[in-house]
Structure formats: structure tokens, C-alpha cells
Amino acid sequence: MTSPRTSAARRPIIPTGTREIDEQTRLGEVYMHSLIQSQLRLALAVIGGCVIVLGGIPLLFTLVPATRTLSVFGLPLPWLLLGVALYPVVYVAARIYVRNAERIEAEFTEFVGQK
């Protein structure tokens, strides 16, 4: 004879890590704090890189006065750097941030799903 419970729908097994986060336990808080810290470190690294690269442009013009009047292809170098070269730097920084933020979240999801 078979048990009538064998045909009953089984509850999905929820990994412990996601349950800890959903129930807002202390361990869940530690997991979320870890994710937030990783994302904050990434954001500060990208912002720091942009500040160094973009802040270096005015510093270049201050330390090397000849660059203020230098022309490239008939256009003043300051205009080229600030009007043209600036945008690819910002775009690359944004792409780096998004790619790494997605990687961090994927690793976090995989880690929490295993616990």
C-alpha cells in the first residue's frame, strides 16, 4: 500500500542563506552588510580613479603652462581633453563599475544560495 502523501506537492527547499536574509536574522544582516561593503568599496575605487584621471587634467594645465596654448589638429589641447577625451573616460568607468557590480551580486547570490 502507498501513502496518500506521496502525491502531495512538496515544498521547495529554500537555501538557508536566503531564508536568513528574508527573516532578517543576525546572520542575514551580516550577509547583507558584506554585500553592501563590497559594493561600496567598488564605488569608491571607481570614483577615486575618476577623480585622479579627471583631476589630473587641470593639474596638467597648472604644472605645465605650455599645454594651455598647445594645439592638436588645429584645436586647443584643453578643449580636446575636456570636450572629447573626458567622455570615453567616464563611459569606461561606468562600464567597469556595472560589470564588477554585477559580478559581486552574482557571487553573493551564488554564495547565499549554497548556504
Side-chain angles (χ1 to χ4, degrees):
M1 209 173 231
T2 59
S3 169
R5 300 273 306 152
T6 57
S7 63
R10 296 182 184 202
R11 281 192 238 161
I13 298 173
I14 299 173
T16 321
T18 54
R19 190 172 344 129
E20 296 287 340
I21 293 170
D22 289 342
E23 294 175 1
Q24 298 179 350
T25 64
R26 179 70 182 132
L27 182 59
E29 288 178 20
V30 170
Y31 286 154
M32 291 306 297
H33 182 71
S34 170
L35 173 64
I36 291 169
Q37 287 297 316
S38 296
Q39 290 177 335
L40 178 63
R41 274 192 303 275
L42 172 63
L44 292 176
V46 171
I47 289 171
C50 284
V51 165
I52 289 170
V53 171
L54 300 177
I57 294 172
L59 190 61
L60 171 71
F61 297 144
T62 301
L63 296 176
V64 185
T67 57
R68 294 182 217 161
T69 57
L70 189 63
S71 291
V72 177
F73 301 116
L75 295 171
L77 180 64
W79 286 28
L80 281 175
L81 289 177
L82 296 173
V84 178
L86 178 83
Y87 295 102
V89 170
V90 172
Y91 177 78
V92 168
R95 294 287 300 178
I96 289 170
Y97 176 78
V98 168
R99 187 181 70 228
N100 286 314
E102 288 173 347
R103 180 187 52 81
I104 288 170
E105 288 181 15
E107 289 173 357
F108 175 78
T109 302
E110 182 180 330
F111 173 75
V112 170
Q114 291 176 355
K115 295 288 175 191

